[in-house]
Amino acid sequence: MLQKSDDYRILVTIADLQMAPELLAVATAMLQGRQGRILALGIVEVPEEKSLSEGAALAREYRASLDKIIEMLEDQVDLRLMVRVSHQIWQGIVDTAIEEGCQLLLLGWRGFTTTPEKIYGTTIDEIMRNPPCDVVVVKGKGLASCRKILLPVRGGPYAELSLRLAIALASKFSARITITHTVGGPAGEAIGQTFGDQPFLAFRELLRDLPVEMRARPSTTGSIEDDILEEARYHDIIIMGATARFGHTPSALGPIAETVARRTDKPILIVKTRRPLDLAIYRRRVEQTEAAQSAGQRLSTMVDKWFAENTFHSREFSDISRLIELKQKQGLTISLGLPALNEEKTIGNIIHTMKSEFMERYPLLDEIVVIDSGSTDATVRIATRLGLPVYLHQDILSEYGSYRGKGEALWKSLYILKGDIIAWIDTDIENIHPGFVYGIIGPLLKEPKISYVKGFYRRPLKYGRKVWATGGGRVTELTARPLFNLFFPELSGIIQPLSGEYAGRRTVLERVPFFTGYGVETGLLLDIFSKFGLQAIAQSDLQERIHRNQSLAALSQMSFAIIQILVKRLEDKHRLRLLEDIHKSMKLIRSLTEADYFLEVKEIADYERPPIITLREYRERRKALRGAAATRTSRPD
C-alpha cells in the first residue's frame, strides 16, 4: 500500500477490550506531533479445519465492539477500525502490519502462560521472534495516572525507541522520566570505562538537553534485574527494551525483561525494534504452504478470507451521525443517482424517503439526481414536483450519441453527479428504506481500502397476488454466479453480482468502462476486480428487496447479454478469441396459440462505453467543479 513518507501508522491490536484504553493511550502519545493514523485491529481466529468464510458473522460482531472504543479517543485522532480473519492470530497481525505499512505495533499482554513452551502466549512469542515493525508490548493498567516513569537503559538497539516512548508518555501525562544505567564495574569506576558500558556511550549523546533525570551507578545488588526492581519501587511504570544475554537461549522479550515483568506488579512496556525479516524463513514457509496446498485450495482460502472481512450488514452503519463525521473528516462529498424508466408507482416514495432522511434530517448526501431514460408515464413529473433535478440521459454528452439501457444512464450520470462517492439504487423498489443507501456508503467511509460496494438481499418472488419468501434473483443463481465460479472464481464470494444497488469512489468508477445495457453490473465487477483487485470490492446485506419481477422471457434476454459480457472479458483476460463472431441476436420463442409457435429474432447487445475520464468534456467539467469548490472554500465567512 502506498503512503506518504511522513505518514506514521500505528497498529493497535484489540484482543481484550479492557486493555484498549492503555494501548490507545500509548498510540495517541506516540502520534503527537506526527502526521499519521492509528489502526485499531481485531482478529477473528478461525480453526484450521474450517473455512475462513465462517468467520463472517464474528467479524461483524467484532466490528460492532470496536466501534465502542472511538469514544475513548480525542476527536483529532485519525482512527481507523478494521477486523481481519486468520487461522492464526499472530499471522493475521503480521500480515496486516505489512499490508498497511505500519511503523509501530502495540500488543496487549495479559501475563505469562502456564505452558512451558509458550512463555507469553503464541501471539507475542511468534511476533517478537521476527517483528514486522517496531513493537511495544504493554502489560498492566494505570498509564493515565503515571507521574514517574522509569527507563532502565544499557544503550542497546532498542534504547532509542524506548526513550522516544518515554518522552511521548511523559508529555501526554505530565510525568517525569528517570533514566537509570547500572555500571557493571566496582563502585566509583567512571561511566563508560568498562567493556559492558560501551553501548551506552552513543546513547548518552541523545540525552543532552532532554527533560530527564539521569542516574548512573554501580550495581548494589549484583543483579541488574534486582537493581531495576529496587528503583521501580519509586516509580509508576517501567519502560525497557527487550534484552538478550550472551550464551542465553533467546526468548521473545529477553531474560532481563522477562525477569522484571514476572516480579513487578507495576505497568511495564517492553520495546523491540524491527529487524530485517528473515527471508529464508519466509521462503521456506511459502514453499511448505505451496507444497501442502493446491492452487485451487489457495484461491479458495483467499476468497473465504475476503468473504469474512469484506461482507458487511447495513445495521453496522445505521448511526448516520457517525457516517457524517467520517464524511466530513475525510472531506468527501456524496451523490445519489436514481436511474429511472417508467417508475411512477415507486419513485415518489423512494425520493421522499431518501431526501427527508439524508438531506433534511441528516446531511449525508450532497445531492440526489434522477437520470431518466425517456419515461412515458408520470415519473419525471413526480420527481420534479418533489424538487429533484431530472436529466434525460439521451441529452447528456449528446455529441457521443446515445444507447438504450441502464448502463448508458449510469455512465452518463458520472458527468452530471458531483460527488467523490457515487451511489446508485434502482427506482422500482417497493419496500424502500434508508438502509439501501447507508448500507452501501458505510463501508466506503469506514474502510479506505474499499472502493466499490455491492448490495445484496433476500429477494421474494411475486407471482400475481402470491409472494414466495425466496426464488427471486433467478438470473443471478442460474447464470451469473455459476459462470463467475467457473471463469472468475476470485469473485465467487459475491452473493448478488447483478444487484442494482451499489456505490463506489469516483476515482475508480471514472477509470473503468461501462456496458450500456443488462451487462453493466457484470462488467463493473469484472473490470474493477481486474484493475483494482479483490480487496477493493465489498458487499453489504441490505436485508430484503421487494420489486417488480420480470417474466422468464425477459430474464432469458438478460442472461444472453450477461453471457456475452463474460465471454468478452474472458477473451480479454486470456488474449484469445473464444468465438470469432459472437452472435448478438437471440431467437426468442413466441406462441400464437397453445400449439402454434414461431421464432422471433431480436438483437441483444451491450455496447462498451470507454472510461469516462478519457473524455475531454468530462475532464474539463471536473476541473471547473474543483475550481469552483476551491473558490467557495477560500472565501472569508
Side-chain angles (χ1 to χ4, degrees):
M1 179 175 292
L2 296 177
Q3 64 186 75
K4 298 179 180 178
S5 59
D6 59 351
D7 185 7
Y8 192 71
R9 296 193 173 195
I10 302 175
L11 185 64
V12 180
T13 57
I14 309 293
D16 181 355
L17 288 178
Q18 293 183 346
M19 279 295 295
E22 310 300 321
L23 296 174
L24 293 170
V26 175
T28 53
M30 290 296 284
L31 200 60
Q32 288 183 78
R34 293 175 180 266
Q35 179 180 348
R37 61 169 38 182
I38 298 170
L39 310 177
L41 173 68
I43 297 290
V44 173
E45 188 173 33
V46 179
E48 290 281 356
E49 66 275 11
K50 293 186 176 182
S51 162
L52 288 174
S53 64
E54 295 188 38
L58 286 176
R60 286 196 295 272
E61 294 176 10
Y62 216 144
R63 281 194 293 266
S65 298
L66 288 181
D67 275 335
K68 299 176 183 176
I69 70 175
I70 295 176
E71 301 173 1
M72 303 175 188
L73 292 176
E74 295 87 348
D75 292 338
Q76 65 270 22
V77 174
D78 186 1
L79 173 67
R80 175 180 157 203
L81 304 177
M82 57 173 64
V83 172
R84 300 291 179 261
V85 297
S86 179
H87 288 306
Q88 296 173 312
I89 292 178
W90 71 268
Q91 188 66 64
I93 294 172
V94 168
D95 290 344
T96 303
I98 294 173
E99 290 168 5
E100 297 292 338
C102 295
Q103 285 81 25
L104 182 63
L105 168 63
L106 302 184
L107 299 169
W109 179 22
R110 299 174 183 174
F112 292 93
T113 71
T114 57
T115 306
E117 66 274 14
K118 295 180 181 179
I119 299 175
Y120 312 100
T122 301
T123 298
I124 294 179
D125 282 357
E126 292 292 345
I127 290 174
M128 295 297 275
R129 285 194 184 99
N130 203 14
C133 59
D134 294 347
V135 180
V136 176
V137 177
V138 181
K139 177 177 179 283
K141 301 177 182 179
L143 294 184
S145 60
C146 80
R147 296 298 176 264
K148 294 181 180 180
I149 299 173
L150 175 62
L151 178 59
V153 298
R154 175 178 171 267
Y158 314 134
E160 182 178 352
L161 179 58
S162 299
L163 178 60
R164 285 198 284 116
L165 175 59
I167 292 173
L169 290 177
S171 173
K172 182 176 179 65
F173 300 120
S174 301
R176 189 175 76 245
I177 303 171
T178 300
I179 298 180
T180 62
H181 174 62
T182 300
V183 180
E189 189 169 5
I191 299 173
Q193 295 303 307
T194 65
F195 177 78
D197 293 331
Q198 291 298 321
F200 179 69
L201 294 176
F203 175 73
R204 188 170 56 181
E205 297 300 313
L206 294 173
L207 305 180
R208 297 183 185 277
D209 303 321
L210 291 179
V212 299
E213 178 185 348
M214 178 65 205
R215 296 179 188 172
R217 63 183 184 183
S219 173
T220 58
T221 66
S223 163
I224 294 176
E225 295 93 328
D226 288 341
D227 289 336
I228 293 172
L229 289 165
E230 174 64 23
E231 190 68 40
R233 293 170 54 194
Y234 310 103
H235 294 80
D236 299 313
I237 65 171
I238 307 168
I239 298 175
M240 61 188 301
T243 56
R245 184 177 290 168
F246 181 75
H248 189 282
T249 301
S251 64
L253 302 182
I256 296 177
E258 177 184 331
T259 300
V260 173
R262 283 186 185 276
R263 293 172 56 187
T264 185
D265 57 358
K266 301 287 180 70
I268 183 169
L269 285 71
I270 301 176
V271 172
K272 189 171 186 179
T273 54
R274 177 188 181 276
R275 60 187 172 90
L277 287 173
D278 187 339
L279 296 180
I281 293 176
Y282 177 76
R283 282 194 296 269
R284 283 198 299 273
R285 190 175 71 202
V286 170
E287 290 168 358
Q288 291 168 356
T289 301
E290 290 180 345
Q293 295 181 316
S294 67
Q297 288 173 318
R298 292 196 304 274
L299 176 61
S300 177
T301 298
M302 178 190 73
V303 173
D304 290 346
K305 180 176 172 63
W306 172 88
F307 184 91
E309 295 179 353
N310 285 36
T311 300
F312 299 87
H313 196 289
S314 58
R315 285 193 300 263
E316 298 180 56
F317 313 106
S318 59
D319 185 348
I320 311 302
S321 297
R322 176 58 181 158
L323 296 184
I324 293 171
E325 289 176 14
L326 291 171
K327 170 193 168 184
Q328 294 173 343
K329 194 173 185 179
Q330 298 171 55
L332 297 173
T333 55
I334 304 176
S335 298
L336 173 63
L338 302 176
L341 176 63
N342 295 328
E343 304 295 355
E344 64 180 6
K345 294 182 180 179
T346 50
I347 194 169
N349 189 36
I350 290 173
I351 293 173
H352 173 75
T353 300
M354 298 307 164
K355 187 177 178 182
S356 61
E357 184 73 7
F358 298 126
M359 298 190 80
E360 296 170 0
R361 184 180 180 191
Y362 296 106
L364 181 64
L365 297 178
D366 295 280
E367 64 174 347
I368 304 176
V369 175
V370 173
I371 310 296
D372 187 66
S373 294
S375 295
T376 56
D377 63 1
T379 296
V380 173
R381 292 196 302 276
I382 293 170
T384 303
R385 187 178 71 244
L386 292 173
L388 288 195
V390 179
Y391 293 86
L392 183 65
H393 91 239
Q394 289 86 342
D395 294 339
I396 303 171
L397 296 171
S398 57
E399 60 270 37
Y400 291 94
S402 184
Y403 295 103
R404 296 182 60 184
K406 174 185 173 183
E408 176 81 346
L410 299 184
W411 182 72
K412 289 188 171 183
S413 74
L414 287 175
Y415 180 80
I416 297 298
L417 299 171
K418 303 181 182 70
D420 303 305
I421 290 176
I422 309 294
W424 290 295
I425 65 172
D426 285 343
T427 49
D428 64 344
I429 305 172
E430 297 177 12
N431 64 323
I432 192 68
H433 55 79
F436 276 90
V437 168
Y438 64 66
I440 56 177
I441 289 176
L444 296 168
L445 293 175
K446 286 201 171 185
E447 285 277 2
K449 68 170 186 174
I450 294 173
S451 295
Y452 184 65
V453 181
K454 292 284 294 184
F456 68 92
Y457 24 66
R458 296 183 302 278
R459 299 182 69 174
L461 180 64
K462 294 175 62 180
Y463 188 78
R465 294 184 178 181
K466 293 184 178 180
V467 178
W468 283 267
T470 59
R474 288 162 287 175
V475 176
T476 293
E477 295 303 323
L478 299 177
T479 301
R481 294 203 72 255
L483 290 174
F484 271 101
N485 274 268
L486 277 172
F487 300 117
F488 296 93
E490 298 90 345
L491 296 172
S492 58
I494 303 289
I495 294 176
Q496 284 173 344
L498 306 184
S499 69
E501 288 64 50
Y502 37 93
R505 302 187 192 278
R506 178 180 293 276
T507 51
V508 167
L509 296 171
E510 67 185 3
R511 286 172 168 80
V512 292
F514 276 60
F515 286 95
T516 57
Y518 292 128
V520 60
E521 284 86 13
T522 301
L524 284 174
L525 259 182
L526 294 175
D527 292 333
I528 290 173
F529 164 67
S530 175
K531 193 173 183 66
F532 299 97
L534 183 60
Q535 288 303 317
I537 301 171
Q539 58 187 347
S540 184
D541 187 347
L542 308 183
Q543 300 185 68
E544 184 177 80
R545 186 189 198 275
I546 299 175
H547 66 121
R548 180 181 65 251
N549 296 117
Q550 298 193 55
S551 66
L552 282 177
L555 296 180
S556 177
Q557 296 173 55
M558 184 185 296
S559 297
F560 187 71
I562 289 167
I563 292 170
Q564 289 184 46
I565 304 303
L566 281 158
V567 170
K568 187 176 191 310
R569 286 298 180 255
L570 276 173
E571 292 180 338
D572 296 338
K573 179 180 179 181
H574 298 288
R575 297 184 181 181
L576 50 80
R577 296 294 296 174
L578 296 176
L579 298 173
E580 286 300 320
D581 185 17
I582 291 181
H583 293 280
K584 295 182 179 179
S585 59
M586 183 179 184
K587 292 182 172 63
L588 305 176
I589 301 174
R590 304 298 192 196
S591 61
L592 295 175
T593 64
E594 291 184 1
D596 191 5
Y597 299 92
F598 69 97
L599 296 178
E600 176 187 346
V601 179
K602 183 176 182 180
E603 182 176 339
I604 301 172
D606 268 27
Y607 299 93
E608 186 174 350
R609 287 294 196 177
I612 200 166
I613 199 170
T614 62
L615 272 58
R616 174 181 53 80
E617 294 84 354
Y618 174 82
R619 296 194 301 272
E620 290 177 351
R621 176 173 169 81
R622 294 302 304 163
K623 183 178 180 181
L625 289 172
R626 286 192 295 269
T631 301
R632 288 194 299 271
T633 303
S634 63
R635 286 175 182 166
D637 293 334

